[in-house]
Amino acid sequence: QLTAAGRSVLDKSMSKLVAYLPDNPVVVEGYAANGLPDQRYLASDQRAMVVRQYLEYRFHLDPNRVGIMPLRARPPAHTGKKTWDGVCLVLVVSK
């Protein structure tokens, strides 16, 4: 379930991306650090789906331009982190 604080963080994060919408797709990456591998995968998928639904509703995004990617707890290598727990918004900008 998405909390009021979570919605506020998403709104603030999206304020940096709205200049690129609706012409560029957004991917919601989900991460979960606790549980067995299958539980982490399912939790990361659920987190990404909840955020996707919120963003589509709140910002009137085209569902065909918002994707999800469950990634368990594996952050991108360039972050220097060993685990990640939450979501990450990725804007795919066309050249």
Side-chain angles (χ1 to χ4, degrees):
Q1 183 174 341
L2 193 54
T3 65
R7 288 189 298 273
S8 178
V9 169
L10 288 170
D11 290 348
K12 186 176 180 179
S13 297
M14 284 297 289
S15 70
K16 299 171 186 172
L17 305 180
V18 293
Y20 301 97
L21 301 175
D23 299 326
N24 296 292
V26 174
V27 177
V28 181
E29 296 177 345
Y31 297 91
N34 297 320
L36 298 171
D38 62 324
Q39 294 168 328
R40 289 193 307 266
Y41 180 83
L42 292 172
S44 65
D45 183 67
Q46 181 63 29
R47 285 179 177 176
M49 184 61 70
V50 168
V51 170
R52 175 188 181 178
Q53 291 170 345
Y54 173 75
L55 296 178
E56 287 174 1
Y57 173 78
R58 173 87 167 109
F59 295 96
H60 308 280
L61 300 177
D62 178 353
N64 294 319
R65 291 192 163 274
V66 184
I68 65 167
M69 181 60 63
L71 295 170
R72 294 177 287 184
R74 295 184 193 159
H78 70 278
T79 64
K81 297 181 184 237
K82 292 183 181 182
T83 63
W84 203 309
D85 197 33
V87 297
C88 181
L89 302 179
V90 178
L91 176 70
V92 182
V93 180
S94 303
K95 289 188 175 188

